[in-house]
Amino acid sequence: MNPSGDAISRETLERNLRRVRERIAHAAAKSGRSPDAVQLIAVTKYADIEQIKELMSMGVTNIGESRVQDAEFKFKTMLAAAPTGGPFDPYRINWHLIGHLQTNKADKAVRIFHALHSVDSVRLAEVLQHELARAPNAAHPALLHQVLLEVNVAQDAKKYGLEPKIDEICALLRLCSELDRMTVIGLMCMAPHSDDPEATSRRVFRRLKDLRDEANERHAYRLPLTELSMGMTQDYAIAVEEGATMVRVGSALFGREKNPVQ
Ligand SMILES: *Cc1c(COP(=O)(O)O)cnc(C)c1O
């Protein structure tokens, strides 16, 4: 269901998915990149389990959820209903946590999510390491425990994330280099909500890419950071043009797109 409460038909979902994939491919081509360089994370925070299964049957392999409890409910319900290795085994897809993570939910999060996009403090990184080290066998081997650091590029007081200061980002990356149970793969940001994302989002995405490139030049982390998680329904095409490797799209799939393709 979308926020207005209407479930959309499989046909509509399929058409929306095709359009989103086409726009990603088009934006990638425009900036000289392969469409395969961009992963679509289908954000299912407004969707039910049936719609997640429909997405799986359409070849979607990356699902994004904002809240640990919602993801846990969907994941466990699917696991209970589906045989291991069956078409709707929830381990067949990668679950991405895109919303804020509280330290007291870290133990649950490491059992469900393949990637956590919202790590923004030393404390949270250390708690995750602790949870992963404490129960290494409780976490399924399919889970990669990838981490992205969230940066509050727009410096929105209501949002989470590190300040967009290279020294601060590099300090957390250096600490994370010592945490061997997880792998930091890149940076994540959200542009402000806008009726004119061309005017607001592009700058934000450029800044995140600059920060990522600078952190790599400084060898702040033990590996180069390859990923940029940026762009949602309002601005994912702009994000791809600016180098996004992961876009997080919900409303455009579930029928609430505000800026339809011209
Ligand atoms: C909900 C959400 C999205 C998806 O937003 P849409 O506008 O529905 O595409 C992306 N990223 C984060 C962090 C979100 O919370």
Side-chain angles (χ1 to χ4, degrees):
M1 278 193 291
N2 65 30
S4 55
D6 319 309
I8 59 165
S9 69
R10 182 186 167 94
E11 289 67 35
T12 304
L13 183 58
E14 200 154 27
R15 177 162 36 80
N16 289 348
L17 178 63
R18 195 178 324 119
R19 267 219 287 186
V20 170
R21 283 176 168 158
E22 281 167 7
R23 276 190 92 187
I24 291 171
H26 183 255
K30 216 168 142 184
S31 56
R33 302 165 69 217
S34 157
D36 301 338
V38 184
Q39 285 186 286
L40 169 63
I41 299 174
V43 175
T44 53
K45 65 187 180 197
Y46 304 129
D48 59 23
I49 291 171
E50 286 314 308
Q51 289 176 316
I52 294 177
K53 289 190 196 167
E54 284 174 352
L55 287 171
M56 288 172 83
S57 70
M58 294 171 197
V60 167
T61 53
N62 292 291
I63 291 288
E65 286 280 338
S66 287
R67 293 157 56 93
V68 175
Q69 311 90 288
D70 293 349
E72 186 184 37
F73 171 76
K74 291 171 182 175
F75 191 96
K76 286 193 170 163
T77 306
M78 287 172 72
L79 195 60
T84 307
F88 301 120
D89 175 351
Y91 285 115
R92 287 182 86 97
I93 45 176
N94 300 324
W95 295 68
H96 297 253
L97 181 67
I98 60 173
H100 178 64
L101 175 58
Q102 290 171 296
T103 50
N104 64 2
K105 302 219 169 68
D107 59 336
K108 290 191 167 121
V110 299
R111 286 165 174 73
I112 300 168
F113 293 102
H114 170 95
L116 305 167
H117 290 232
S118 53
V119 173
D120 62 358
S121 71
V122 171
R123 165 123 176 88
L124 179 56
E126 286 178 344
V127 170
L128 288 168
Q129 166 79 9
H130 174 77
E131 290 300 337
L132 289 165
R134 193 168 66 101
N137 300 324
H140 193 274
L143 301 178
L144 290 183
H145 299 122
Q146 295 179 332
V147 161
L148 294 96
L149 302 188
E150 179 171 0
V151 184
N152 188 0
V153 176
Q155 295 182 283
D156 180 339
K158 295 188 296 292
K159 295 253 164 68
Y160 293 98
L162 294 162
E163 284 199 51
K165 293 185 180 147
I166 189 65
D167 290 338
E168 205 164 306
I169 293 166
C170 286
L172 182 51
L173 285 169
R174 274 188 215 100
L175 176 118
C176 287
S177 288
E178 308 296 315
L179 307 179
D180 61 348
R181 302 287 167 152
M182 60 186 140
T183 309
V184 182
I185 58 170
L187 304 182
M188 177 271 217
C189 77
M190 285 174 87
H193 179 73
S194 171
D195 290 328
D196 184 9
E198 182 55 53
T200 50
S201 299
R202 194 178 289 280
R203 277 185 293 136
V204 168
F205 298 152
R206 280 195 185 155
R207 182 91 184 100
L208 192 73
K209 181 172 189 296
D210 286 347
L211 289 165
R212 192 272 315 259
D213 292 347
E214 178 69 23
N216 282 344
E217 270 169 41
R218 295 190 188 186
H219 302 288
Y221 188 64
R222 59 179 143 88
L223 298 168
L225 306 179
T226 54
E227 307 303 314
L228 290 169
S229 168
M230 53 192 199
M232 35 206 272
T233 293
Q234 66 170 6
D235 51 20
Y236 66 94
I238 297 171
V240 170
E241 288 173 21
E242 297 300 332
T245 62
M246 298 172 159
V247 291
R248 312 176 306 265
V249 179
S251 313
L253 295 173
F254 294 102
R256 257 195 345 135
E257 191 169 18
K258 266 178 76 190
N259 301 306
V261 198
Q262 301 80 354

